[in-house]
Amino acid sequence: MTKIIKYYRFKKVVSLCLIYNCMSREISGFSKLSKDEKIDWLDAHVLTESLDFKKILHQYWNANPELQSLHDDFVENTISNFYLPYAVAPNFVINDKKYVIPMAIEESSVVAAASMVAKFWSKRGGFKATVISTTKIGQVHFMYAGDKAAIETYFNQIKPQLLEATSGITKNMQKRGGGILDIELRDKTASLENYYQLHVSFETKESMGANFINSCLEQIANSFRKEGVKIVMSILSNYTPDCLVRAEVSCPVSDLYKEDALHYAQKFVEAVKIAQVEPYRAVTHNKGIMNGVDAVVIATGNDFRAIEAGVHAYASRKGQYQSLSDAEIKDDIFRFWIELPLAVGTVGGLTGLHPLAKISLALLKNPSAKELMEIMAAAGLAQNFAALRALTTNGIQHGHMKMHFTNMLNSLKTSPSEKAALRDKFKDKTITYAALNDAVIQLREHKSIS
Ligand code: MEV
């Protein structure tokens, strides 16, 4: 029986290969192949290098078939899993509550920096965070060439029906205190001829709400249809300037550095001000913030692309890309804060589906969506603090390369004894890849290093 199945699978792969060869560019029916068949096909038709392709892909399959199948079903054409380190940063104090923050990230210094900064601020009152607003937006975009007053009249008449039409979708959300907040007709014809929109605001409570918002919008669009109105599309917006959170730390300047505290505190504030006026710097500055934010977003099963898009749009809201954080020294007190939009959820989507996302939320003691916004903002501010402190004192490379050292040792395929010897050699030295490579060569040639 298994032989027969194998024969038919082989035939299927061969026939797909034929389709592929004939058309020479495209393949049809790829998604219908089994995982192994897809891998065989890729091995035969796409890979040109000799890699342990199949072996490596299989190594990353989960031994538990049920768990693997859950991951396979997240997207189409899954052939393996792509791991990220899943780590925790302890000692965060946010609004007087202690947290161990889960982080999924590959960059070597991020978790270490978060842990170090969390501990530092835990002894100085911790992070204070507040959610400013939680409104999300969705839009029905349409074209209308007729009289503006007529479409306004039509909208005002039909608005109660638009709300009524979504009642089946909004019923449960309303029970939780959410739902549609308002629907506005917006005239966008000054930007694009005949362009209008229904601009809809939502409260989605514990969920990020993408599916809820999109379902409501499609229903609203259907009910709004009429002669002369051409619905172009209905979709939520990932620009969420009214789903905003703020986090802050502060302490006496003298408590900030062991030596020359005022000098370094001023340099720190200057570094932030530079990121407010210089976009080249602001992008890197904010990237450092997102190292912390994204790591928590991913660990909790939230949508990091949505968060990234929304945050960077917010950073540009004044017409120039700027820092998301700010700092000041006033009356000998150093204050450092951040304000950013974070449309995240603690229910729905991957949060309830990915076993590690559930673990992350459990580690955070099952926060509300608002509390999760505060945690993420604190993680971002912590990361920004670590980066600016390093940049305005010893520079970033010292700590960065120290953390990256293990990765470099692994990429040079060093043995445990070589690792020990190299760690010892570089313990007080600035590490560069070239210097490490030379030391490895020397070690292997002479079996010792000077
Ligand atoms: C590196 O991932 C992040 C930093 O470049 C951020 C910054 O420069 O502020 C260190």
Side-chain angles (χ1 to χ4, degrees):
M1 184 65 180
T2 42
K3 268 192 181 162
I4 297 172
I5 292 171
K6 273 191 181 161
Y7 170 74
Y8 279 107
R9 285 213 167 138
F10 173 73
K11 267 190 74 175
K12 204 153 93 181
V13 175
V14 168
S15 62
L16 268 172
C17 300
L18 289 175
I19 294 170
Y20 181 76
N21 281 340
C22 291
M23 299 170 72
S24 88
R25 278 185 185 280
E26 284 173 12
I27 171 170
S28 321
F30 184 75
S31 67
K32 293 190 180 62
L33 292 178
S34 73
K35 211 156 59 160
D36 273 318
E37 287 165 349
K38 286 179 185 122
I39 293 170
D40 283 342
W41 189 87
L42 292 167
D43 198 23
H45 293 94
V46 181
L47 283 186
T48 47
E49 295 172 67
S50 65
L51 292 169
D52 279 338
F53 181 61
K54 292 188 195 179
K55 190 173 140 207
I56 292 169
L57 291 180
H58 285 150
Q59 271 171 355
Y60 283 88
W61 286 14
N62 197 287
N64 173 347
E66 239 175 78
L67 192 58
Q68 186 52 55
S69 145
L70 177 79
H71 283 266
D72 290 349
D73 289 346
F74 285 154
V75 296
E76 190 167 275
N77 296 341
T78 309
I79 54 172
S80 191
N81 307 304
F82 193 98
Y83 292 177
L84 277 182
Y86 179 66
V88 290
N91 295 319
F92 268 88
V93 175
I94 306 167
N95 296 339
D96 300 320
K97 193 168 160 188
K98 285 186 189 160
Y99 292 93
V100 174
I101 299 191
M103 301 180 104
I105 188 152
E106 86 301 344
E107 192 171 322
S108 37
S109 54
V110 169
V111 180
S115 309
M116 188 261 290
V117 171
K119 199 164 181 183
F120 178 90
W121 284 108
S122 69
K123 294 175 187 144
R124 291 161 179 81
F127 293 79
K128 301 289 171 227
T130 345
V131 170
I132 298 167
S133 49
T134 55
T135 303
K136 287 149 197 163
I137 299 299
Q139 296 165 320
V140 176
H141 305 269
F142 67 95
M143 296 297 177
Y144 170 74
D147 177 40
K148 183 179 169 186
I151 195 75
E152 277 171 349
T153 308
Y154 171 66
F155 170 72
N156 289 330
Q157 271 167 3
I158 204 169
K159 188 172 169 181
Q161 279 152 260
L162 299 181
L163 291 167
E164 182 52 38
T166 58
S167 60
I169 309 168
T170 55
K171 199 168 62 191
N172 286 337
M173 185 62 86
Q174 273 170 350
K175 276 190 207 148
R176 297 197 292 269
I180 297 175
L181 302 177
D182 196 13
I183 309 178
E184 284 171 57
L185 172 71
R186 291 197 173 177
D187 176 355
K188 306 292 284 184
T189 54
S191 313
L192 181 66
E193 201 182 357
N194 302 336
Y195 172 34
Y196 288 83
Q197 55 182 229
L198 298 180
H199 186 91
V200 190
S201 45
F202 295 87
E203 169 55 59
T204 60
K205 300 306 277 186
E206 302 314 320
S207 65
M208 187 250 187
N211 283 330
F212 169 74
I213 294 175
N214 289 334
S215 302
C216 288
L217 292 171
E218 288 185 7
Q219 191 62 255
I220 290 170
N222 275 337
S223 307
F224 189 70
R225 268 173 219 288
K226 83 180 205 75
E227 181 99 25
V229 166
K230 184 170 75 185
I231 306 284
V232 178
M233 58 187 162
S234 310
I235 187 74
L236 93 167
S237 171
N238 289 122
Y239 184 42
T240 55
D242 291 318
C243 187
L244 209 58
V245 57
R246 179 191 162 91
E248 178 177 324
V249 285
S250 64
C251 72
V253 170
S254 56
D255 209 9
L256 204 54
Y257 298 90
K258 284 196 184 111
E259 284 163 20
D260 287 340
L262 182 60
H263 166 73
Y264 284 114
Q266 279 167 343
K267 272 184 76 173
F268 190 106
V269 173
E270 280 157 4
V272 176
K273 300 296 171 198
I274 289 170
Q276 283 173 354
V277 298
E278 168 53 58
Y280 278 96
R281 172 58 203 149
V283 172
T284 319
H285 177 100
N286 290 346
K287 186 273 181 185
I289 291 170
M290 298 314 287
N291 278 343
V293 174
D294 280 340
V296 191
V297 171
I298 295 171
T300 54
N302 275 286
D303 179 344
F304 65 93
R305 288 86 54 213
I307 294 296
E308 282 280 336
V311 162
H312 297 299
Y314 185 74
S316 315
R317 71 194 179 285
K318 294 180 186 158
Q320 177 178 304
Y321 191 92
Q322 290 186 324
S323 159
L324 294 161
S325 62
D326 202 352
E328 67 172 18
I329 299 169
K330 212 165 153 190
D331 303 329
D332 296 327
I333 300 290
F334 166 83
R335 275 194 335 120
F336 181 43
W337 67 95
I338 189 168
E339 224 175 78
L340 75 172
L342 290 174
V344 292
T346 52
V347 298
L350 215 59
T351 54
L353 215 52
H354 197 302
L356 284 176
K358 283 194 216 166
I359 294 283
S360 296
L361 292 170
L363 280 169
L364 294 171
K365 311 252 184 279
N366 295 312
S368 64
K370 277 180 163 185
E371 193 179 345
L372 187 58
M373 288 167 76
E374 293 171 349
I375 294 165
M376 288 172 181
L381 189 66
Q383 218 58 50
N384 195 208
F385 181 79
L388 293 177
R389 208 166 116 113
L391 287 167
T392 53
T393 52
N394 297 329
I396 206 80
Q397 279 313 82
H398 182 68
H400 232 75
M401 294 310 266
K402 221 162 145 182
M403 288 308 304
H404 193 51
F405 193 51
T406 309
N407 288 343
M408 291 196 285
L409 289 173
N410 287 338
S411 82
L412 290 165
K413 301 205 179 332
T414 50
S415 67
S417 64
E418 286 173 337
K419 280 189 176 104
L422 291 159
R423 277 189 207 287
D424 193 47
K425 176 179 165 65
F426 282 93
K427 95 173 159 271
D428 314 309
K429 295 199 174 77
T430 299
I431 303 154
T432 64
Y433 191 83
L436 183 62
N437 197 23
D438 287 349
V440 171
I441 293 167
Q442 199 189 348
L443 185 66
R444 286 175 184 164
E445 277 173 3
H446 305 294
K447 303 281 177 231
S448 73
I449 40 177
S450 45

